[in-house]
């Protein structure tokens, strides 16, 4: 036993030494591959296409970007209700752009819930030649051309939720003529109904001419089970879509997200860099952080913006703007008055008036006359003072114009902000009106059902009251007949007794 254990230990040590020797003896085997692959951009295994994806938040400017919807669909913040629990309701959502990828993967996150034991029809995933509207096949049109994956929660044979895939070339009519069981590519019975707060996931993958359908009813996208796998050929240029329909009893069919991925996308091409591009990139990478002065300016700007947002309520901004403009004009008026006073003072010293300077109607003194040198120097000083005053006035006017321009731009920005808020309020009101309209329709259907139930109960009550009346009449007739027989018998006995006496 000891010899066997010793032999085993020696074999293990020999294996470790061989592995270490191989690793250190051939270090270039792994590093060379890393160096070779370091300059080649590696393509990702999948790339999300945001134009063929529906995720929260769903709406932008009142609609879902790159998607169209219709039917009895209701929009919420955290889900899209394709059909409410109303019998006969239908809803759909279709991509407006065709799929251009040869290999793709689509993942549908949904929730089907109802208060009845059996399901109320179901929803369907579509990949068809054209976007379809309303119809009898799970809320979509019959005679479609492409792939349809049905999540039928009201299977008439098994009464369990069933997932099945069907191909159609545009000629088969499943609503009236053909039996879908003959054309099923594959199916499975995985219960995805009434999963509570955890939504169900459907993953449809088309890769290497193979269609794979997987379901995750309760694992929140982490526990997929294969439903079917079939070899087939699907073309590009088709449209993705999801539809749902409710029967009686009805279920709620909610769409939470729809994500489309391109499988094995090509690697991005490495373009040659422009002159000085490397130097500019390095300069950008050398930037570390902002200095204290820049941080202070940013804080002051943020404080000013925050103050303007807080004050942008009602007519306060408009009043302050008008007051500021009035102050600017009052300041300009005072500047002009001061300039006129200074002009009068300069003219009192003997300088020509502005009109005389413009017209050239003034006398120029020569430097040769020594007696008039003081007067000429005074004129020169006066002209310099006038030029200084004019430059100061122009600077103040330019500053005033810049202040007015700044205030006008602020007023324009605030008006645009008010318009944007009013548009948001209008969009919110539109959504509320749509929700109220859908609720009214739901209440009308429920009222109609209650009226029908009331009519049935009224007819039943009428029938019972008539029956009771007939029974009472029969008892009354029997009582009258019995009373008559009793009186007849009593009179007859009395007569016989009289005869006997």
């Amino acid at each position: 036993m000891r010899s066997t254990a010793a032999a085993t230990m020696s074999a293990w040590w020999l294996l470790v030494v061989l592995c270490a020797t191989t690793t250190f003896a051939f270090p270039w085997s792994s590093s060379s591959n890393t160096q070779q692959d370091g300059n080649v951009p590696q393509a990702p295994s999948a790339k999300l296409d945001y134009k063929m994806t529906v995720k929260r938040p769903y709406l932008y400017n009142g609609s879902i970007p790159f998607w169209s919807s219709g039917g009895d669909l209701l929009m919420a913040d955290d889900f899209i209700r394709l059909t409410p629990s109303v019998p006969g309701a239908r809803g759909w959502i279709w991509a407006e752009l065709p799929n251009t990828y040869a290999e793709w993967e689509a993942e549908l996150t949904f929730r089907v819930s109802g208060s009845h034991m059996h399901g109320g029809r179901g929803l369907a995933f579509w990949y068809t030649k054209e976007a379809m509207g309303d119809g009898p096949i799970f809320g979509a049109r019959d005679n479609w051309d492409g792939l349809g994956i049905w999540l039928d929660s009201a299977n008439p044979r098994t009464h369990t939720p069933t997932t099945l895939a069907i191909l159609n070339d545009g000629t088969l009519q499943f609503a009236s003529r053909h039996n879908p069981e003959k054309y099923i590519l594959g199916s499975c019975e995985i219960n995805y109904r009434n999963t509570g707060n955890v939504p169900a996931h459907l993953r449809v993958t088309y890769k290497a001419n193979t269609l794979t359908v997987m379901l995750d009813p309760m694992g929140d996208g982490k526990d997929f089970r294969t439903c079917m796998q079939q070899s087939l050929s699907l073309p590009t240029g088709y449209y993705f879509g999801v539809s749902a329909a409710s029967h009686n009893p009805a279920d709620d069919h909610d769409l939470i997200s729809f994500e489309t991925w391109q499988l094995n996308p090509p690697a991005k091409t490495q373009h040659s860099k422009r002159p000085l591009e490397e130097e500019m990139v390095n300069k950008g990478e050398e930037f570390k952080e902002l200095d204290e002065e820049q941080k202070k300016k940013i804080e002051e700007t943020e404080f000013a913006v925050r103050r303007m947002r807080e004050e942008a309520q009602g007519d306060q901004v408009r009043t302050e703007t008008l007051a500021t403009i009035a102050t600017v004009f009052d300041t300009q008026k005072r500047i002009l008055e001061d300039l006129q006073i200074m002009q009068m003072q300069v003219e009192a010293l003997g300088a020509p008036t502005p009109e005389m300077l413009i017209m050239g109607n003034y006398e120029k003194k020569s430097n040769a006359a020594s007696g008039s040198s003081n007067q000429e120097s005074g004129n020169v000083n006066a002209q310099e003072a006038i030029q200084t005053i004019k430059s100061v006035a122009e600077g103040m006017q330019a500053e005033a114009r810049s202040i007015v321009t700044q205030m006008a731009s602020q007023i324009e920005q605030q008006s645009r902000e008010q318009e944007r808020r009013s548009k948001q309020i209008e969009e919110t009101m539109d959504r509320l009106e749509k929700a109220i309209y859908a609720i009214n329709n739901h209440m009308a259907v429920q009222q109609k059902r209650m009226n029908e139930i009331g009519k049935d109960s009224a007819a039943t009550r009428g029938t019972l009251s008539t029956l009771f009346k007939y029974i009472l009449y029969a008892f009354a007739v029997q009582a009258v007949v019995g009373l008559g027989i009793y009186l007849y018998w009593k009179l007859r006995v009395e007569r016989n007794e009289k005869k006997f006496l």
Side-chain angles (χ1 to χ4, degrees):
M1 292 295 291
R2 291 182 179 178
S3 60
T4 305
T8 306
M9 291 296 295
S10 61
W12 277 108
W13 278 109
L14 180 61
L15 180 61
V16 171
V17 170
L18 287 175
C19 292
T21 306
T22 306
T23 304
F24 286 101
F26 303 98
W28 61 82
S29 61
S30 59
S31 61
S32 60
N33 294 334
T34 304
Q35 292 177 359
Q36 290 177 0
D37 298 339
N39 298 328
V40 179
Q42 298 293 329
S45 60
K47 183 178 71 173
L48 179 68
D49 190 338
Y50 71 95
K51 293 185 179 180
M52 288 190 289
T53 296
V54 179
K55 298 177 69 175
R56 292 177 289 181
Y58 305 107
L59 297 179
Y60 179 77
N61 289 335
S63 62
I64 305 175
F66 309 106
W67 289 75
S68 60
S69 58
D72 299 321
L73 180 142
L74 298 176
M75 194 73 62
D77 293 335
D78 53 350
F79 61 88
I80 300 174
R81 179 147 293 175
L82 296 175
T83 58
S85 55
V86 177
R90 298 174 182 175
W92 48 265
I93 179 171
W94 284 91
E96 296 178 350
L97 300 176
N99 172 46
T100 58
Y101 308 132
E103 296 182 345
W104 48 267
E105 182 177 275
E107 184 168 336
L108 174 66
T109 306
F110 64 97
R111 185 185 293 110
V112 178
S113 56
S115 59
H116 302 277
M117 180 180 297
H118 302 299
R121 204 68 273 176
L123 54 87
F125 167 90
W126 302 100
Y127 182 65
T128 57
K129 188 174 183 180
E130 57 184 6
M132 302 183 295
D134 189 24
I137 306 297
F138 293 93
R141 200 179 65 208
D142 203 353
N143 299 88
W144 77 90
D145 188 354
L147 172 68
I149 298 177
W150 300 351
L151 286 84
D152 188 2
S153 57
N155 191 328
R157 292 191 299 104
T158 61
H159 298 289
T160 57
T162 305
T163 304
L164 53 93
I166 294 180
L167 273 180
N168 193 353
D169 57 357
T171 60
L172 301 177
Q173 295 181 359
F174 294 102
S176 57
R177 298 182 182 178
H178 297 85
N179 185 5
E181 295 183 356
K182 300 180 180 179
Y183 304 93
I184 293 176
L185 299 176
S187 64
C188 64
E189 294 182 359
I190 299 176
N191 192 357
Y192 50 81
R193 186 172 176 265
N194 288 332
T195 58
N197 296 326
V198 180
H201 295 261
L202 171 69
R203 179 179 293 173
V204 183
T205 306
Y206 180 70
K207 183 178 180 181
N209 292 332
T210 302
L211 177 69
T212 305
V213 180
M214 306 179 72
L215 271 170
D216 179 11
M218 295 289 290
D220 199 13
K222 300 177 183 178
D223 186 18
F224 279 96
R225 288 179 279 174
T226 302
C227 178
M228 59 150 292
Q229 194 170 31
Q230 182 71 31
S231 297
L232 51 86
S233 179
L234 294 176
T236 59
Y238 280 26
Y239 294 85
F240 290 109
V242 181
S243 65
S246 293
H247 286 186
N248 192 3
D251 284 346
D252 291 326
H253 299 90
D254 300 336
L255 172 65
I256 299 175
S257 66
F258 186 98
E259 297 179 340
T260 304
W261 300 80
Q262 179 190 8
L263 299 181
N264 299 322
K268 293 184 178 179
T269 57
Q270 187 72 19
H271 299 286
S272 59
K273 295 183 179 180
R274 296 186 293 272
L276 303 179
E277 183 177 358
E278 188 70 26
E279 182 180 356
M280 298 301 292
V281 171
N282 293 333
K283 287 183 178 179
E285 292 177 353
E286 290 175 358
F287 176 76
K288 299 298 182 182
E289 60 180 357
L290 299 174
D291 55 13
E292 296 298 330
E293 184 178 359
Q294 292 174 341
K295 291 180 179 179
K296 186 176 180 181
K297 289 182 179 180
I298 292 174
E299 291 177 357
E300 292 176 355
T301 305
E302 291 178 350
F303 177 76
V305 172
R306 195 182 306 113
R307 180 176 174 272
M308 291 179 63
R309 288 179 178 175
E310 292 176 355
E311 293 178 353
Q313 303 291 336
D315 297 334
Q316 182 179 359
V317 175
R318 187 179 305 171
T319 304
E320 292 184 359
T321 303
L322 294 176
T324 305
I325 294 174
T327 304
V328 171
F329 285 125
D330 184 63
T331 305
Q332 289 182 345
K333 185 177 180 181
R334 293 184 180 182
I335 291 171
L336 292 176
E337 292 177 355
D338 294 339
L339 289 175
Q340 290 177 359
I341 293 171
M342 294 176 68
Q343 179 66 29
M344 293 173 64
Q345 292 175 354
V346 172
E347 290 177 359
L349 296 175
T353 62
E355 291 81 6
M356 296 173 63
L357 290 173
I358 293 173
M359 300 297 296
N361 188 12
Y362 62 93
E363 184 179 358
K364 296 181 180 180
K365 303 289 183 175
S366 62
N367 295 330
S370 59
S372 60
S373 59
N374 294 331
Q375 186 177 1
E376 183 177 358
S377 63
N379 293 333
V380 171
N381 292 332
Q383 291 178 2
E384 292 178 354
I386 292 171
Q387 293 296 330
T388 304
I389 293 169
K390 287 184 177 180
S391 63
V392 172
E394 291 175 355
M396 296 180 71
Q397 289 178 356
E399 184 177 359
R401 284 195 297 269
S402 65
I403 292 173
V404 173
T405 304
Q406 184 178 3
M407 295 302 298
S409 63
Q410 291 179 0
I411 293 171
E412 186 177 358
Q413 291 177 359
Q414 292 166 2
S415 63
R416 286 199 294 265
E417 181 69 18
Q418 293 292 336
E419 291 177 358
R420 185 182 66 81
R421 291 181 179 178
S422 62
K423 288 182 180 179
Q424 289 180 353
I425 293 172
E426 291 176 357
E427 292 172 357
T428 304
M429 293 300 295
D430 292 338
R431 291 196 294 269
L432 288 174
E433 289 177 358
K434 292 180 180 178
I436 292 171
Y437 178 75
I439 292 172
N440 289 333
N441 291 338
H442 181 71
M443 293 298 295
V445 172
Q446 295 294 335
Q447 186 65 32
K448 185 177 179 181
R449 294 178 59 188
M450 293 299 295
N451 291 336
E452 293 177 356
I453 294 172
K455 291 180 180 178
D456 295 338
S457 61
T460 304
R461 288 195 299 271
T463 304
L464 291 174
S465 62
T466 304
L467 181 61
F468 284 133
K469 288 179 181 179
Y470 287 155
I471 293 172
L472 291 175
Y473 290 157
F475 278 121
V477 171
Q478 289 180 0
V480 171
V481 172
L483 181 61
I485 293 172
Y486 173 74
L487 293 175
Y488 175 77
W489 174 77
K490 189 174 182 180
L491 293 174
R492 185 70 176 269
V493 170
E494 290 179 354
R495 287 179 183 177
N496 291 333
E497 289 178 353
K498 290 180 180 180
K499 290 179 180 181
F500 178 77
L501 292 174

